[in-house]
Amino acid sequence: MSELATRLARRMGLVETDVAAISEAARLHDLGLFAMSPTYHSLPGPLSFEQRMDLWRHSVVGEQQMAKREAGRHQQLLVRWHHEWWNGTGYPDQLAFEDIPIGARIIRAVELFSALLSERPYRAALNLNQAMEVLGDSAGVECDPYVVAALSALLRELPVEGSDEPAVENTHATGGYSLNQSGGAMAGLQQPDGPMHGIDHESTDELQFNPHTQVRSETRQPEKRSKSELLLDALRKPADPESPTWTRWSASRYNRKTLLGFEASVLRQIEFNSIAIPYWSGARLDWYLKTWGKQILANDPSRCAFIAARASVEAVEELSEEQIATVLEDAYVPGSKLNNPELTKWFGEMDACWMDNIRRNVDRLNDDVVKAQAMLIAMQAGDYARSFDATTREFRRPLTTVFWRLAGRTITVKGHPSNGTANLPAEDFLRQTRADLLYIKLPPEQSWTAGSKSRSQWRESWVTAGAAAPARTKSSWQSRTAYLATIERLFRCASHFRFWAIGYQETGMASAHEIAELIKQHRPIRATYSKDVSEVLGGLRSYIIVADKKTKL
């Protein structure tokens, strides 16, 4: 992993200081897993949800272990984020897209590929052909498509020991890749047909198989040397200075980063039975809150975020195959015109047609929560489509296939029977809601932030079927005074909550100190927690300030 990540980082134009950090983080990425030594990790079969949530801690423990080793902060954060997925469904913080530092994106792709070639308790090692196929399938979901393209190109160029031929032979004509060893090519990956079939990568350490998958074993002569050994030898040879560079990757930038793991660790320390969240913003905090048995009352002023909240908070089971089939019926059949012509601003003709038909089909479902679940998956599929360009198009899959895959990966946890969601202005929600704890992630100074702008806009347009978005979703502030006045109004509406947990990220409009002083005008502060990720490009320091209406501690 370290050798491959190092070569790839250099190919992508990173400076040597960052290359060294990536190399060290790749070598020690699972330090937290060794520190935890969970017994369930060596067992065959899928993990329970509780075991999976426990496993998610290993990247955070790894960050802590790296700090104990006095590793640099960059290396620590790469270890923390090596399981973040391109589409935002990874762990521990659910970073998405360009919010994930390029080093973590490199390690994610390299770890996936390396794991596929290795034996696991729940499966045999895959051959090169299978591993390259699964790596390609991960583009746009688990891995950055551009990183997958760069890694695939690098693997195809690696020479075999004693030969000028590449270690991995590109065999697009036969639909895959093969290990070029003594002229022998491995058979392609064979999978049964059907929308729910195929390999499903779980957010555990590596790959797990979908129960429907039946990958056929191959009969071949034992290899003299393992696939990993051959690749390692090739990687240790000097790089060809004439090899093309891959420097057009998207850099990390401020995009209202939500650090889910940090949030969960702070809220876990507060005693409460019910929680109100006026700005949902999409992070899957519900997984933790439901597991803890808490009642969730969630809201978001934007329609698309409200749909995500309803699908996450109120759903009690996954979509059925019949419901998915209803949503996908005639998805690629063009009509005389688009119901929502605005979609052509963000999608090509076929994708706009698909998204338009899906939105129409969703309305055929009878249950509002089921509709929200289908719409959330469709929004993820739309983000998938927008992740590809001419450079990465070869890895793109049909959106209907992607929808089935995403639906098959959905995790639904049954929660409190009184969980609920709302689509109200935050102040109205606060006045109407009663709960023990208010968790309010203060709104960013501008509602459309850099990386999320186009995603928020197209999602809002698609969800509302092209109707104009309510004015309340487009507020922005031009001065510190105006911004703090808005926060003050929110606090005045929230006096009836016993506990406050106020999340804030310093972006320049106001300091955490100013927010704390504003809180003190209403109630004493119990504790202040912070998480600093400013070492990486686009990273900020996040704060959660806990205040108690009754007691000053």
Side-chain angles (χ1 to χ4, degrees):
M1 275 189 62
S2 181
E3 294 282 357
L4 187 53
T6 298
R7 180 72 68 89
L8 183 58
R10 289 190 177 124
R11 179 71 63 89
M12 299 185 78
L14 298 179
V15 299
E16 282 304 310
T17 300
D18 289 337
V19 170
I22 292 169
S23 178
E24 182 179 0
R27 189 179 299 275
L28 299 174
H29 69 285
D30 269 343
L31 196 60
L33 192 61
F34 284 102
M36 290 172 58
S37 299
T39 56
Y40 54 74
H41 192 252
S42 60
L43 299 177
L47 302 179
S48 68
F49 182 69
E50 290 73 18
Q51 289 171 331
R52 190 180 303 182
M53 287 191 73
D54 184 67
L55 184 62
W56 291 348
R57 294 190 302 113
H58 87 268
S59 54
V60 176
V61 175
E63 177 193 17
Q64 297 165 350
Q65 293 294 317
M66 291 290 282
K68 291 180 180 179
R69 291 173 59 93
E70 298 184 350
R73 186 63 180 140
H74 188 189
Q75 291 92 314
Q76 295 174 33
L77 291 173
L78 292 179
V79 168
R80 179 184 180 92
W81 290 332
H82 76 276
H83 274 288
E84 297 292 348
W85 282 30
W86 176 252
N87 72 350
T89 60
Y91 62 87
D93 292 319
Q94 292 208 325
L95 302 183
F97 307 106
E98 66 276 359
D99 266 2
I100 308 170
I102 186 61
R105 284 180 256 165
I106 288 172
I107 295 173
R108 177 73 249 127
V110 167
E111 184 188 21
L112 171 62
F113 179 74
S114 302
L116 296 171
L117 300 180
S118 305
E119 298 284 343
R120 288 295 183 266
Y122 44 83
R123 62 155 173 83
L126 274 66
N127 63 41
L128 235 330
N129 188 15
Q130 294 169 330
M132 293 295 286
E133 192 76 17
V134 175
L135 177 65
D137 284 344
S138 76
V141 179
E142 180 172 352
C143 299
D144 179 349
Y146 192 79
V147 174
V148 170
L151 176 57
S152 298
L154 172 59
L155 291 167
R156 290 196 295 265
E157 296 168 11
L158 294 176
V160 171
E161 182 179 5
S163 170
D164 293 330
E165 297 298 319
V168 178
E169 179 183 353
N170 187 353
T171 58
H172 280 292
T174 58
Y177 302 81
S178 63
L179 181 65
N180 191 347
Q181 183 173 244
S182 303
M186 297 183 182
L189 177 65
Q190 303 180 57
Q191 297 183 25
D193 296 329
M196 292 297 285
H197 295 164
I199 292 179
D200 176 30
H201 329 246
E202 295 290 348
S203 288
T204 59
D205 194 32
E206 325 295 359
L207 172 86
Q208 300 240 9
F209 283 100
N210 184 291
H212 298 276
T213 302
Q214 298 174 2
V215 179
R216 301 172 191 171
S217 60
E218 302 167 10
T219 302
R220 61 179 185 273
Q221 295 298 319
E223 298 172 358
K224 295 180 180 180
R225 305 190 66 199
S226 72
K227 298 177 284 292
S228 297
E229 288 174 324
L230 288 169
L231 289 174
L232 190 58
D233 285 346
L235 284 165
R236 286 172 172 164
K237 293 182 179 181
D240 183 354
E242 301 300 321
S243 295
T245 57
W246 291 74
T247 57
R248 292 175 52 207
W249 44 271
S250 299
S252 299
R253 52 190 176 182
Y254 173 62
N255 185 18
R256 189 59 177 169
K257 286 180 171 63
T258 295
L259 301 178
L260 178 61
F262 173 56
E263 294 175 347
S265 66
V266 172
L267 297 182
R268 193 74 172 100
Q269 301 178 56
I270 305 173
E271 294 183 6
F272 65 97
N273 294 316
S274 56
I275 183 171
I277 306 175
Y279 295 102
W280 180 252
S281 76
R284 294 306 303 265
L285 190 58
D286 61 289
W287 284 336
Y288 292 95
L289 296 171
K290 288 180 177 180
T291 302
W292 301 338
K294 311 301 184 183
Q295 180 189 7
I296 309 169
L297 302 171
N299 174 77
D300 202 281
S302 81
R303 188 69 183 173
C304 64
F306 158 68
I307 291 297
R310 172 174 278 176
S312 303
V313 172
E314 297 190 46
V316 295
E317 59 184 5
E318 291 81 15
L319 295 178
S320 68
E321 293 198 17
E322 181 180 357
Q323 291 165 336
I324 296 173
T326 297
V327 172
L328 296 175
E329 184 177 349
D330 294 332
Y332 277 114
V333 177
S336 58
K337 64 177 182 178
L338 294 176
N339 293 324
N340 182 4
E342 276 199 356
L343 292 173
T344 56
K345 294 180 181 179
W346 302 288
F347 297 97
E349 182 178 354
M350 287 301 297
D351 289 342
C353 172
W354 191 90
M355 295 298 303
D356 201 53
N357 288 335
I358 294 299
R359 183 66 187 85
R360 178 202 63 210
N361 289 345
V362 164
D363 287 336
R364 295 166 54 193
L365 300 171
N366 296 323
D367 185 271
D368 286 341
V369 174
V370 173
K371 288 182 181 180
Q373 290 175 273
M375 292 173 77
L376 178 57
I377 296 171
M379 286 189 280
Q380 293 171 345
D383 285 336
Y384 172 91
R386 289 172 48 77
S387 294
F388 294 86
D389 57 20
T391 305
T392 57
R393 188 176 296 127
E394 66 175 295
F395 301 104
R396 192 186 142 158
R397 304 296 183 254
L399 292 185
T400 293
T401 301
V402 171
F403 190 101
W404 276 106
R405 286 181 58 196
L406 294 172
R409 287 198 66 257
T410 300
I411 301 173
T412 301
V413 183
K414 292 184 178 180
H416 194 283
S418 299
N419 284 351
T421 54
N423 178 217
L424 298 170
E427 294 178 27
D428 292 348
F429 173 75
L430 292 175
R431 293 189 188 99
Q432 298 176 19
T433 304
R434 297 294 181 270
D436 301 330
L437 171 64
L438 167 66
Y439 178 41
I440 177 170
K441 292 175 279 188
L442 295 182
E445 289 83 349
Q446 291 185 339
S447 59
W448 302 130
T449 52
S452 65
K453 180 176 181 178
S454 59
R455 285 189 290 276
S456 298
Q457 288 179 334
W458 89 254
R459 283 181 167 218
E460 196 73 12
S461 174
W462 181 78
V463 166
T464 59
R472 64 175 180 266
T473 67
K474 297 182 179 179
S475 299
S476 61
W477 298 267
Q478 299 302 308
S479 68
R480 176 183 282 103
T481 301
Y483 181 69
L484 291 176
T486 300
I487 305 306
E488 166 68 20
R489 288 196 299 272
L490 289 173
F491 289 168
R492 285 202 302 267
C493 297
S495 59
H496 53 284
F497 294 94
R498 177 180 177 183
F499 295 112
W500 287 359
I502 309 298
Y504 182 67
Q505 293 176 327
E506 284 190 336
T507 56
M509 185 66 79
S511 67
H513 175 74
E514 288 174 302
I515 299 297
E517 291 300 312
L518 194 57
I519 294 172
K520 289 178 182 178
Q521 295 177 20
H522 296 267
R523 56 180 60 196
I525 290 177
R526 175 178 178 178
T528 299
Y529 304 87
S530 67
K531 183 71 178 177
D532 185 4
V533 298
S534 58
E535 177 64 25
V536 295
L537 184 63
L540 301 168
R541 183 184 289 273
S542 295
Y543 298 87
I544 297 180
I545 304 171
V546 178
D548 189 337
K549 180 179 180 181
K550 303 285 186 183
T551 308
K552 183 176 180 180
L553 299 180

